[in-house]
Coordinates of all heavy atoms in Angstrom, one line a residue:
Y1 N -62.4 121.8 41.1 CA -61.5 122.4 42.0 C -62.0 122.3 43.4 O -63.1 122.6 43.7 CB -61.3 123.9 41.6 CG -60.5 124.1 40.3 CD1 -61.1 124.4 39.1 CD2 -59.1 124.1 40.3 CE1 -60.4 124.6 37.9 CE2 -58.3 124.3 39.1 CZ -59.0 124.6 38.0 OH -58.3 124.8 36.8
F2 N -61.1 122.0 44.3 CA -61.4 121.7 45.7 C -61.8 122.9 46.5 O -62.8 122.9 47.2 CB -60.3 120.9 46.4 CG -60.7 120.4 47.8 CD1 -61.6 119.5 48.0 CD2 -60.1 121.0 48.9 CE1 -62.0 119.0 49.2 CE2 -60.4 120.6 50.2 CZ -61.4 119.6 50.3
S3 N -61.1 124.0 46.4 CA -61.3 125.2 47.2 C -61.7 126.4 46.3 O -61.0 126.7 45.4 CB -60.0 125.5 48.0 OG -60.1 126.8 48.6
I4 N -62.7 127.0 46.7 CA -63.2 128.2 46.0 C -62.2 129.4 46.1 O -61.8 130.0 45.1 CB -64.6 128.7 46.5 CG1 -65.6 127.6 46.4 CG2 -65.0 130.0 45.8 CD1 -66.9 127.9 47.0
N5 N -61.7 129.6 47.3 CA -60.7 130.7 47.5 C -59.4 130.4 46.7 O -58.8 131.3 46.2 CB -60.4 130.9 49.0 CG -61.6 131.4 49.8 OD1 -62.5 131.9 49.2 ND2 -61.5 131.3 51.1
D6 N -59.0 129.2 46.8 CA -57.8 128.7 46.1 C -57.9 129.1 44.6 O -57.0 129.7 44.0 CB -57.6 127.2 46.3 CG -56.2 126.8 46.2 OD1 -55.4 127.6 45.6 OD2 -55.8 125.7 46.7
L7 N -59.0 128.7 44.0 CA -59.3 128.9 42.6 C -59.5 130.4 42.3 O -59.0 130.9 41.3 CB -60.5 128.1 42.1 CG -61.0 128.3 40.7 CD1 -59.9 128.0 39.7 CD2 -62.2 127.5 40.5
G8 N -60.2 131.1 43.2 CA -60.5 132.5 43.0 C -59.2 133.3 43.0 O -59.0 134.2 42.1
F9 N -58.2 133.0 43.8 CA -57.0 133.7 43.8 C -56.2 133.4 42.6 O -55.6 134.3 41.9 CB -56.1 133.4 45.0 CG -54.7 133.9 45.0 CD1 -54.5 135.2 45.3 CD2 -53.6 133.1 44.7 CE1 -53.2 135.8 45.2 CE2 -52.4 133.6 44.6 CZ -52.1 134.9 44.9
S10 N -56.2 132.1 42.2 CA -55.4 131.8 41.0 C -56.0 132.4 39.7 O -55.3 132.9 38.8 CB -55.5 130.2 40.8 OG -55.0 129.6 41.9
L11 N -57.4 132.5 39.6 CA -58.0 133.2 38.4 C -57.7 134.7 38.5 O -57.5 135.3 37.4 CB -59.5 132.9 38.5 CG -59.9 131.5 38.0 CD1 -61.5 131.5 38.2 CD2 -59.5 131.3 36.6
T12 N -57.6 135.3 39.7 CA -57.3 136.7 39.8 C -55.9 137.0 39.2 O -55.7 137.9 38.5 CB -57.4 137.1 41.3 OG1 -58.7 137.0 41.8 CG2 -57.0 138.6 41.4
V13 N -54.9 136.1 39.6 CA -53.6 136.4 39.1 C -53.5 136.1 37.6 O -52.9 136.9 36.8 CB -52.6 135.4 39.8 CG1 -51.2 135.5 39.1 CG2 -52.5 135.8 41.3
M14 N -54.2 135.1 37.1 CA -54.2 134.8 35.7 C -54.9 136.0 34.9 O -54.4 136.4 33.8 CB -55.0 133.5 35.3 CG -54.4 132.3 35.9 SD -52.6 132.1 35.5 CE -51.9 132.2 37.1
M15 N -55.9 136.6 35.5 CA -56.6 137.7 34.8 C -55.7 138.9 34.8 O -55.6 139.6 33.8 CB -57.9 138.0 35.5 CG -58.8 139.1 34.9 SD -59.3 138.6 33.2 CE -60.5 139.8 32.9
L16 N -55.1 139.2 36.0 CA -54.2 140.4 36.0 C -53.0 140.2 35.0 O -52.7 141.2 34.3 CB -53.6 140.5 37.4 CG -54.4 141.5 38.4 CD1 -55.9 141.0 38.5 CD2 -53.8 141.5 39.7
Y17 N -52.5 139.0 34.9 CA -51.4 138.8 34.0 C -51.8 138.9 32.6 O -51.2 139.6 31.7 CB -50.8 137.4 34.2 CG -49.7 137.0 33.2 CD1 -48.5 137.5 33.3 CD2 -50.0 136.0 32.2 CE1 -47.5 137.2 32.4 CE2 -49.0 135.7 31.3 CZ -47.8 136.3 31.4 OH -46.8 135.9 30.5
S18 N -53.0 138.4 32.2 CA -53.5 138.5 30.9 C -53.8 139.9 30.5 O -53.6 140.4 29.3 CB -54.8 137.6 30.7 OG -54.5 136.3 31.0
L19 N -54.4 140.7 31.4 CA -54.7 142.1 31.1 C -53.4 142.9 30.9 O -53.4 143.7 30.0 CB -55.5 142.7 32.3 CG -56.9 142.4 32.4 CD1 -57.5 142.9 33.7 CD2 -57.7 143.0 31.3
Y20 N -52.4 142.6 31.7 CA -51.1 143.3 31.5 C -50.5 143.0 30.1 O -50.1 143.9 29.4 CB -50.1 142.9 32.6 CG -48.8 143.6 32.4 CD1 -48.6 144.9 32.6 CD2 -47.7 142.8 31.9 CE1 -47.4 145.5 32.4 CE2 -46.5 143.5 31.6 CZ -46.4 144.8 31.9 OH -45.2 145.4 31.6
R21 N -50.5 141.7 29.8 CA -49.9 141.3 28.5 C -50.7 142.0 27.4 O -50.1 142.4 26.4 CB -50.0 139.8 28.3 CG -49.0 139.1 29.3 CD -47.6 139.5 29.2 NE -47.0 139.2 27.8 CZ -46.1 138.3 27.5 NH1 -45.7 137.4 28.5 NH2 -45.7 138.1 26.3
L22 N -52.1 142.0 27.5 CA -52.9 142.6 26.4 C -52.8 144.1 26.3 O -52.6 144.6 25.2 CB -54.4 142.2 26.6 CG -55.4 142.8 25.7 CD1 -55.1 142.3 24.2 CD2 -56.8 142.4 26.1
I23 N -52.8 144.8 27.4 CA -52.9 146.2 27.4 C -51.5 146.9 27.3 O -51.4 147.8 26.5 CB -53.6 146.7 28.7 CG1 -55.1 146.3 28.7 CG2 -53.6 148.3 28.8 CD1 -55.8 146.6 30.0
I24 N -50.6 146.4 28.0 CA -49.3 147.0 28.1 C -48.3 146.5 27.1 O -47.5 147.2 26.4 CB -48.7 147.0 29.5 CG1 -49.7 147.6 30.5 CG2 -47.3 147.6 29.6 CD1 -49.9 149.1 30.3
V25 N -48.2 145.2 27.0 CA -47.2 144.6 26.2 C -47.5 144.5 24.7 O -46.8 145.0 23.9 CB -46.8 143.1 26.7 CG1 -45.8 142.5 25.8 CG2 -46.4 143.2 28.2
E26 N -48.6 143.8 24.4 CA -48.9 143.6 23.0 C -50.4 143.3 22.8 O -50.9 142.3 23.4 CB -48.0 142.5 22.4 CG -48.2 142.2 20.9 CD -47.4 141.1 20.4 OE1 -46.6 140.5 21.2 OE2 -47.4 140.8 19.2
V27 N -51.0 143.9 21.9 CA -52.4 143.5 21.5 C -52.4 142.5 20.4 O -52.0 142.8 19.3 CB -53.2 144.8 21.0 CG1 -54.6 144.4 20.6 CG2 -53.3 145.8 22.1
N28 N -52.7 141.3 20.7 CA -52.8 140.2 19.8 C -53.8 139.2 20.2 O -54.3 139.2 21.3 CB -51.4 139.5 19.5 CG -50.9 138.7 20.6 OD1 -51.6 138.3 21.5 ND2 -49.6 138.6 20.7
L29 N -54.1 138.3 19.3 CA -55.2 137.3 19.5 C -55.0 136.5 20.7 O -56.0 136.2 21.5 CB -55.4 136.5 18.3 CG -56.6 135.5 18.3 CD1 -57.9 136.2 18.5 CD2 -56.6 134.6 17.0
K30 N -53.8 136.0 21.0 CA -53.5 135.2 22.1 C -53.9 135.8 23.4 O -54.6 135.2 24.3 CB -52.0 134.9 22.1 CG -51.5 134.1 23.4 CD -50.0 133.9 23.3 CE -49.5 133.2 24.6 NZ -48.1 133.0 24.6
Y31 N -53.5 137.1 23.6 CA -53.8 137.8 24.9 C -55.4 138.2 25.0 O -55.9 138.3 26.1 CB -52.9 139.0 25.1 CG -51.5 138.6 25.0 CD1 -50.6 139.3 24.3 CD2 -51.0 137.5 25.7 CE1 -49.2 138.9 24.2 CE2 -49.7 137.1 25.6 CZ -48.8 137.8 24.9 OH -47.5 137.5 24.8
V32 N -55.9 138.4 23.8 CA -57.4 138.7 23.8 C -58.1 137.4 24.3 O -59.0 137.5 25.1 CB -57.9 139.1 22.4 CG1 -59.4 139.1 22.3 CG2 -57.4 140.4 22.0
L33 N -57.7 136.3 23.7 CA -58.3 135.0 24.2 C -58.1 134.7 25.6 O -59.0 134.2 26.3 CB -57.8 133.9 23.3 CG -58.3 133.9 21.8 CD1 -57.6 132.7 21.1 CD2 -59.8 133.8 21.7
A34 N -56.9 134.9 26.1 CA -56.5 134.7 27.5 C -57.4 135.6 28.4 O -57.9 135.1 29.4 CB -55.1 135.0 27.8
T35 N -57.6 136.8 28.1 CA -58.4 137.7 28.9 C -59.8 137.2 28.9 O -60.5 137.2 29.9 CB -58.3 139.2 28.3 OG1 -56.9 139.6 28.4 CG2 -59.1 140.1 29.2
A36 N -60.3 136.8 27.7 CA -61.7 136.4 27.5 C -62.0 135.1 28.3 O -63.0 135.1 29.1 CB -62.0 136.1 26.1
V37 N -61.1 134.1 28.3 CA -61.4 132.9 29.0 C -61.3 133.1 30.5 O -62.1 132.5 31.3 CB -60.5 131.7 28.5 CG1 -60.7 131.4 27.1 CG2 -59.0 132.0 28.8
N38 N -60.4 134.0 30.9 CA -60.4 134.3 32.4 C -61.6 135.0 32.9 O -62.1 134.8 34.0 CB -59.1 135.0 32.7 CG -57.9 134.1 32.9 OD1 -57.7 133.4 33.9 ND2 -57.1 134.1 31.8
F39 N -62.1 135.9 32.1 CA -63.3 136.7 32.4 C -64.5 135.7 32.5 O -65.2 135.8 33.5 CB -63.6 137.8 31.4 CG -64.9 138.6 31.6 CD1 -64.9 139.6 32.5 CD2 -66.1 138.2 31.0 CE1 -66.0 140.3 32.8 CE2 -67.2 138.9 31.3 CZ -67.2 139.9 32.1
I40 N -64.6 134.8 31.6 CA -65.7 133.8 31.6 C -65.6 133.0 32.8 O -66.6 132.7 33.5 CB -65.7 133.0 30.3 CG1 -66.0 133.9 29.0 CG2 -66.6 131.8 30.4 CD1 -65.8 133.2 27.7
A41 N -64.4 132.5 33.1 CA -64.2 131.7 34.3 C -64.5 132.3 35.6 O -65.1 131.8 36.5 CB -62.7 131.1 34.3
I42 N -64.2 133.6 35.7 CA -64.5 134.4 36.9 C -66.0 134.6 37.0 O -66.5 134.5 38.2 CB -63.8 135.8 36.8 CG1 -62.2 135.6 37.0 CG2 -64.4 136.8 37.8 CD1 -61.4 136.9 36.8
I43 N -66.7 134.8 35.9 CA -68.1 134.9 36.0 C -68.8 133.6 36.4 O -69.7 133.5 37.2 CB -68.7 135.4 34.7 CG1 -68.2 136.8 34.3 CG2 -70.3 135.4 34.7 CD1 -68.5 137.8 35.4
I44 N -68.2 132.5 35.9 CA -68.7 131.2 36.2 C -68.5 130.9 37.7 O -69.4 130.4 38.4 CB -68.0 130.1 35.4 CG1 -68.5 130.2 33.9 CG2 -68.3 128.7 36.0 CD1 -67.7 129.2 33.0
L45 N -67.3 131.2 38.2 CA -67.0 131.0 39.7 C -67.8 131.9 40.6 O -68.2 131.5 41.6 CB -65.5 131.3 39.9 CG -65.0 130.9 41.3 CD1 -65.2 129.5 41.6 CD2 -63.6 131.4 41.5

């Protein structure tokens, strides 16, 4: 990825969306995995 800020903002939105789907909408494996991979990516970045 070319820009750190660009990627950082995108990961922030993906994490917020994944958390919302997991916590508010439905607890299932898909949203657990989405939250997990975004958390790992945020730590890597």
Side-chain angles (χ1 to χ4, degrees):
Y1 288 98
F2 185 69
S3 169
I4 298 171
N5 291 347
D6 208 339
L7 175 59
F9 172 76
S10 302
L11 285 176
T12 298
V13 173
M14 296 308 115
M15 185 62 167
L16 267 57
Y17 176 73
S18 300
L19 283 171
Y20 177 74
R21 294 300 299 251
L22 175 61
I23 296 171
I24 302 297
V25 179
E26 182 182 4
V27 176
N28 66 24
L29 182 59
K30 175 184 175 181
Y31 303 135
V32 170
L33 290 175
T35 302
V37 296
N38 279 284
F39 178 82
I40 291 170
I42 286 171
I43 297 302
I44 290 173
L45 184 64

